[in-house]
Amino acid sequence: DAMVIQNPRYQVTQFGKPVTLSCSQTLNHNVMYWYQQKSSQAPKLLFHYYDKDFNNEADTPDNFQSRRPNTSFCFLDIRSPGLGDAAMYLCATSRDRGANEKLFFGSGTQLSVL
Amino acid sequence: DAKTTQPNSMESNEEEPVHLPCNHSTISGTDYIHWYRQLPSQGPEYVIHGLTSNVNNRMASLAIAEDRKSSTLILHRATLRDAAVYYCILRGFDEKAAGNKLTFGGGTRVLVKP
């Protein structure tokens, strides 16, 4: 019954080695978000897609990129992971971008950088 | 984004009500008040949201002050499964972004004692 699915649940990569995290949704929602959550901190928005329109947060490092090939899938690419990029990465969706719209989150991918 | 202020933590006994306060004195007229919770090792989960009137759903109740500068999330009978971090979030139109973002603040860690 999972509606926002993130794979894998745990990902280990090496310092500087590109890594891709994936997210899929069965809700047919227009908006998909990527959040980064470091240990004991609140989730921080990295960027979001409204349909095919990409919206980057001003303080998101260039090292982070995203792709949304179709409505159902969205990918987070980290081009050269550093030790500081170890975190939980959360994907979320919403039907639209209105202020009264709910977000639906996946269970997250825990990324370790060795 | 307008900011919210929440206590860092609260304790409750099982089967007793829990009242979680949130101050948002700089709320604008179009901001919705959202509550999400995050259980350990899970993605955030929508709880409830409202604009001006009090709201009830199967999970909780949301009481909004008449001047909208504060709100209270009410869990009517806390269970051990309600132990989580509860986030109070204002969601409104962000002119710099292409829509309405959901920006997390510090949250309140709720501990439920058996």
Side-chain angles (χ1 to χ4, degrees):
Chain A
D1 284 71
M3 298 177 287
V4 182
I5 303 156
Q6 292 189 245
N7 285 309
R9 186 75 173 89
Y10 298 94
Q11 175 76 54
V12 181
T13 191
Q14 292 179 337
F15 183 94
K17 183 175 181 180
V19 65
T20 295
L21 309 181
S22 71
C23 176
S24 64
Q25 55 134 339
T26 60
L27 298 164
N28 202 35
H29 281 176
N30 285 324
V31 193
M32 295 188 77
Y33 308 80
W34 280 104
Y35 284 82
Q36 178 194 62
Q37 185 174 28
K38 296 187 177 180
S39 182
S40 301
Q41 295 183 18
K44 180 178 180 295
L45 181 64
L46 294 174
F47 27 59
H48 76 273
Y49 271 96
Y50 179 64
D51 195 14
K52 297 179 182 179
D53 184 27
F54 177 71
N55 298 276
N56 201 23
E57 291 299 298
D59 56 355
T60 298
D62 292 340
N63 199 25
F64 292 86
Q65 304 286 323
S66 186
R67 295 170 284 137
R68 189 179 185 186
N70 53 54
T71 300
S72 300
F73 286 87
C74 195
F75 300 98
L76 170 62
D77 300 308
I78 308 176
R79 293 192 296 187
S80 181
L83 298 179
D85 296 327
M88 173 78 83
Y89 289 88
L90 296 160
C91 174
T93 73
S94 66
R95 187 173 56 101
D96 209 320
R97 283 190 304 198
N100 63 339
E101 294 284 345
K102 300 184 289 189
L103 265 65
F104 295 80
F105 284 83
S107 295
T109 294
Q110 183 68 50
L111 177 69
S112 299
V113 181
L114 304 180
Chain B
D1 293 323
K3 295 195 174 186
T4 62
T5 304
Q6 299 178 251
N8 287 336
S9 64
M10 291 188 73
E11 281 191 6
S12 174
N13 294 317
E14 199 175 9
E15 298 191 3
E16 289 186 355
V18 183
H19 290 242
L20 301 176
C22 181
N23 288 318
H24 30 79
S25 59
T26 59
I27 191 170
S28 74
T30 55
D31 285 343
Y32 278 78
I33 302 160
H34 287 250
W35 284 82
Y36 284 74
R37 72 178 185 181
Q38 188 171 22
L39 279 67
S41 302
Q42 296 292 322
E45 173 188 28
Y46 168 82
V47 178
I48 201 166
H49 77 284
L51 183 62
T52 56
S53 302
N54 294 343
V55 185
N56 299 294
N57 65 22
R58 64 174 181 81
M59 290 182 71
S61 295
L62 177 60
I64 301 173
E66 196 168 335
D67 63 4
R68 300 211 323 129
K69 293 186 176 181
S70 66
S71 60
T72 302
L73 179 71
I74 303 163
L75 308 177
H76 295 286
R77 289 183 64 199
T79 70
L80 297 178
R81 289 174 295 177
D82 292 321
V85 178
Y86 287 77
Y87 294 100
C88 169
I89 303 163
L90 300 184
R91 192 168 193 211
F93 184 72
D94 185 333
E95 291 185 356
K96 295 178 184 177
N100 304 284
K101 300 186 296 183
L102 198 78
T103 302
F104 288 80
T108 297
R109 183 173 298 277
V110 172
L111 304 173
V112 181
K113 296 182 290 185

